[in-house]
Amino acid sequence: MDAGFDFDVIQRSWGYLFREGMVFTLTLTALAMVGGIFFGTLLAMMRLSKFRLLSYAAGSYVNLMRSLPLVLVIFWFFFLVPYIGAWLIGAKDPVKVGSFMSCLITFTMFEAAYYCEIMRAGIQSVARGQVWAGYALGLDYWQTMGRIVLPQAFRNMLPVLLTQTVILFQDTSLVYVISATDFLGAAAKVANRDYRLVEMYTFVAVVYFIISFGLSSLVKQLQNKIAIIR
Amino acid sequence: MDALLQVEELQHAYDGHLAVRGLSFALARGAIGCLLGPSGCGKTTVLRCVAGFEAPSAGRILLNGALVSSTQVSLPPEQRRVGMVFQEHALFPHLTAAGNIAFGLSNHDGKRVRELAALAGITELLEKYPHELSGGQQQRVALARALAPRPALLLLDEPFSNLDTGMRERLSLELRDIIKSSGATAMLVTHDQHEAFAMADEIGVMREGRIEQWDIAYNLYHRPVNRFVADFVGQGVFLPAKVLNAKQIEIELGILEGDIAHACQIGCEVCGKGCRADVLLRPDDVIHDDNAPTQAEVLHKAFRGAEILYTLKLGSGRKVLALVPSHHNHALGERIGIRLDVDHVVAFTPQA
């Protein structure tokens, strides 16, 4: 390694890092968040269901996901999804799933378990009387959930949901293990090609820090604002 | 009677514990009924069974003549056309008052919302959010919301217990007027007899999952069927008495006259043999009279504004209560003259 810190390599490569890597990272974060919250909410509703089978199934899923290391799940899905896909559609050969698609499915399913626990707390934070009031006004389960419980649950839990999303944003860097070109992956490629490991990994760390810390600060502000409304 | 709500031999158990033990009553169309009882007596459970949130373990509930709850049948709450007002108001915090009232209306009928707002006296508050409203205002919004879809039956679960005491009675009278002018039939649950008296046409006094007496307020106070009702509704003391004959009963303060055989719950139809009884004396039965020969010592006094409630010690050491206009202000320890003015005798078997 050359002596001294070479800023030039950062200047030369940051366009590529952001265009390729950061777009991958942010798209993955955003889509996995949307999917994770959607399935997480359904899981939370199942966990709180009075039907034992539903709550047991959802509970088992959540506990399983939360007991496995994310890296393992990423690996496992990357190699297994093609076969599961083939089995599902009855094809003979493994389905070709790009690394992005595989990552998206993995993160959605994994994060759903965490978002589920947040939404469960959110649903429980809405007073029972509100649910009864909904039924008494002639609403069925889905209407009561959709129009009374979930809007309040989301609002009450918004800071926690966003905090989990910041964690998700950091965790997406683990896709590096299946050689996907996320922000970290892109930087690693440049680092290895130009043999500028210190510069690139330091730069990546600074960027992750700025984004994560910035988002966390925003969440904190939002939290104070919501606390006043409640 | 054109009964809108019929509850027949209702039973409900939570984890093997019987909260409601075979209870029956009927509520006429347009009437306001009330279940009154100490906390834990099962009154809220009855309400929740009527609303459909709980399934009874025995008995039946009929609404408008149609079976809605039994061990076999359980119509879901949203199909019962039952409006509900809760102790904690349960307004939807993410909606304005108008949004809350319109919530149960399928077509978001603005005219109906304004109509109810006018009825409940909250027209100026329609654009406010629940957290901007006082407790009393919130409860009016909750009432308007419950009435908006024109429910067959309105249920109120301890609707005033979150409000200041001063406000409770006033608001319960107002709510009664609102409910009456909307033509709804209503069922109230409370532990506060003043609320019950102010709102309800008929009241059931409950104890341990049963109704002890279902009656109008006047009769609960003046003709309680047993000691529990006499004790729970209103204030008063029991004084030991001796039955002289079918028309007369003697207590420390004199001889009371009345239809003793009928008034007594002690089964002394063939009386006149000097059997013992306990006579109920309400504070309004004891009159302060400076010229009265009987004197009693002031033990405690509670100033109530218009009146003072005196606790007086009789010669025997027993206590009676007397409600006296507050300009008769006597000091503790003072001896004041009293006489009885008992309109009708209420007596029970002496307690062992």
Side-chain angles (χ1 to χ4, degrees):
Chain A
M1 193 188 284
D2 293 353
F5 197 92
D6 180 13
F7 285 99
D8 194 44
V9 67
I10 297 170
Q11 205 177 7
R12 273 185 283 115
S13 61
W14 71 269
Y16 163 76
L17 290 186
F18 280 93
R19 248 191 344 267
E20 290 284 318
M22 194 48 95
V23 167
F24 182 103
T25 296
L26 289 179
T27 315
L28 180 60
T29 304
L31 292 180
M33 175 187 77
V34 172
I37 290 178
F38 178 78
F39 288 110
T41 305
L42 285 182
L43 279 170
M45 286 161 68
M46 283 168 71
R47 279 204 88 166
L48 294 171
S49 166
K50 61 183 171 190
F51 300 110
R52 287 271 168 79
L53 192 70
L54 284 181
S55 71
Y56 184 77
S60 310
Y61 175 83
V62 169
N63 287 328
L64 175 72
M65 280 300 171
R66 299 211 305 171
S67 312
L68 294 175
L70 178 52
V71 173
L72 190 68
V73 182
I74 294 170
F75 254 129
W76 197 70
F77 263 88
F78 184 62
F79 294 112
L80 229 64
V81 163
Y83 293 96
I84 294 173
W87 176 70
L88 278 178
I89 60 170
K92 239 192 281 167
D93 302 314
V95 179
K96 284 202 176 68
V97 182
S99 60
F100 179 79
M101 218 35 211
S102 170
C103 290
L104 180 58
I105 294 170
T106 311
F107 274 95
T108 301
M109 294 187 66
F110 191 83
E111 291 299 323
Y114 287 87
Y115 285 123
C116 163
E117 292 304 275
I118 297 170
M119 285 312 291
R120 185 164 72 131
I123 290 171
Q124 285 175 325
S125 75
V126 179
R128 286 298 287 161
Q130 305 250 339
V131 180
W132 292 330
Y135 289 144
L137 287 170
L139 271 63
D140 62 23
Y141 174 79
W142 291 100
Q143 290 171 317
T144 308
M145 272 291 162
R147 294 175 56 191
I148 299 172
V149 179
L150 291 182
Q152 293 182 59
F154 273 119
R155 208 195 62 187
N156 295 350
M157 289 295 130
L158 196 58
V160 193
L161 288 170
L162 290 177
T163 303
Q164 182 62 35
T165 302
V166 174
I167 297 170
L168 166 65
F169 168 72
Q170 295 164 1
D171 282 353
T172 54
S173 61
L174 289 173
V175 302
Y176 163 72
V177 297
I178 55 166
S179 305
T181 314
D182 76 319
F183 190 62
L184 177 63
K189 278 179 190 168
V190 176
N192 288 318
R193 186 193 64 200
D194 297 356
Y195 207 62
R196 286 288 172 193
L197 300 173
V198 174
E199 288 82 351
M200 291 316 287
Y201 287 134
T202 306
F203 177 63
V204 166
V206 168
V207 171
Y208 269 109
F209 174 80
I210 291 172
I211 294 178
S212 299
F213 185 75
L215 283 174
S216 297
S217 310
L218 281 175
V219 169
K220 200 165 277 176
Q221 276 181 26
L222 188 72
Q223 203 160 17
N224 293 337
K225 211 171 160 189
I226 286 177
I228 293 167
I229 298 172
R230 277 179 82 186
Chain B
M1 178 170 88
D2 177 19
L4 184 106
L5 170 68
Q6 287 161 274
V7 175
E8 296 172 356
E9 293 301 321
L10 186 73
Q11 275 195 23
H12 187 275
Y14 285 110
D15 304 325
H17 167 72
L18 268 182
V20 179
R21 314 163 173 248
L23 161 157
S24 305
F25 64 88
L27 194 59
R29 193 178 304 277
I32 301 180
C34 173
L35 290 177
L36 171 68
S39 50
C41 71
K43 54 193 191 302
T44 299
T45 308
V46 176
L47 201 73
R48 291 164 49 92
C49 285
V50 173
F53 299 134
E54 302 281 348
S57 46
R60 312 195 303 162
I61 298 172
L62 289 91
L63 256 179
N64 250 331
L67 183 66
V68 294
S69 279
S70 73
T71 40
Q72 281 90 39
V73 181
S74 183
L75 193 68
E78 66 266 25
Q79 289 169 29
R80 294 192 180 200
R81 295 194 51 235
V82 165
M84 215 162 167
V85 177
F86 301 87
Q87 182 178 337
E88 66 278 21
H89 318 309
L91 291 179
F92 306 134
H94 58 306
L95 297 174
T96 60
N100 267 282
I101 298 170
F103 202 88
L105 301 170
S106 48
N107 49 354
H108 283 260
D109 184 350
K111 189 164 150 267
R112 179 84 181 137
V113 172
R114 282 191 300 279
E115 200 177 293
L116 278 153
L119 186 67
I122 46 168
T123 307
E124 316 80 59
L125 307 174
L126 278 178
E127 293 316 311
K128 294 208 187 266
Y129 281 89
H131 70 269
E132 301 172 296
L133 302 174
S134 72
Q137 291 169 334
Q138 285 190 32
Q139 204 53 297
R140 281 168 221 257
V141 176
L143 182 69
R145 179 181 72 180
L147 287 172
R150 300 177 206 276
L153 176 67
L154 181 70
L155 302 174
L156 303 109
D157 183 7
E158 303 260 2
F160 310 108
S161 49
N162 276 358
L163 305 176
D164 311 334
T165 11
M167 182 140 193
R168 284 185 194 177
E169 206 165 338
R170 206 180 71 217
L171 193 67
S172 41
L173 284 170
E174 280 180 37
L175 251 54
R176 180 187 161 85
D177 288 344
I178 297 169
I179 292 167
K180 284 287 178 189
S181 49
S182 77
T185 309
M187 181 83 212
L188 163 80
V189 154
T190 181
H191 62 268
D192 182 331
Q193 48 184 304
H194 299 294
E195 283 171 32
F197 292 166
M199 267 194 89
D201 300 315
E202 287 180 311
I203 300 163
V205 177
M206 278 187 72
R207 174 172 62 163
E208 289 170 7
R210 290 194 186 86
I211 291 181
E212 299 281 333
Q213 185 173 359
W214 178 272
D215 220 323
I216 59 171
Y218 182 90
N219 286 348
L220 291 178
Y221 187 81
H222 290 290
R223 307 213 180 273
V225 297
N226 58 32
R227 288 181 92 107
F228 176 80
V229 176
D231 222 25
F232 188 75
V233 177
Q235 285 174 302
V237 294
F238 289 100
L239 283 188
K242 196 168 82 180
V243 180
L244 297 179
N245 55 53
K247 296 279 173 209
Q248 289 183 310
I249 191 165
E250 185 181 24
I251 59 170
E252 190 181 342
L253 292 166
I255 293 172
L256 300 174
E257 303 207 340
D259 187 358
I260 307 302
H262 194 249
C264 288
Q265 309 292 320
I266 49 184
C268 48
E269 280 82 2
V270 285
C271 234
K273 293 177 196 152
C275 61
R276 319 292 311 181
D278 279 352
V279 166
L280 171 68
L281 278 188
R282 296 289 193 195
D284 49 320
D285 293 332
V286 180
I287 308 289
H288 167 43
D289 183 348
D290 288 326
N291 302 321
T294 317
Q295 294 228 313
E297 184 190 331
V298 177
L299 219 53
H300 296 291
K301 56 193 272 195
F303 187 73
R304 295 258 176 100
E307 292 121 357
I308 296 176
L309 182 70
Y310 284 107
T311 307
L312 303 170
K313 194 164 96 180
L314 302 178
S316 65
R318 294 183 191 283
K319 293 169 194 163
V320 290
L321 299 172
L323 204 54
V324 176
S326 64
H327 56 266
H328 293 282
N329 194 5
H330 297 284
L332 295 183
E334 205 175 318
R335 295 184 69 81
I336 61 173
I338 52 166
R339 63 181 167 81
L340 291 183
D341 181 15
V342 179
D343 179 59
H344 52 270
V345 176
V346 177
F348 301 104
T349 324
Q351 257 175 349

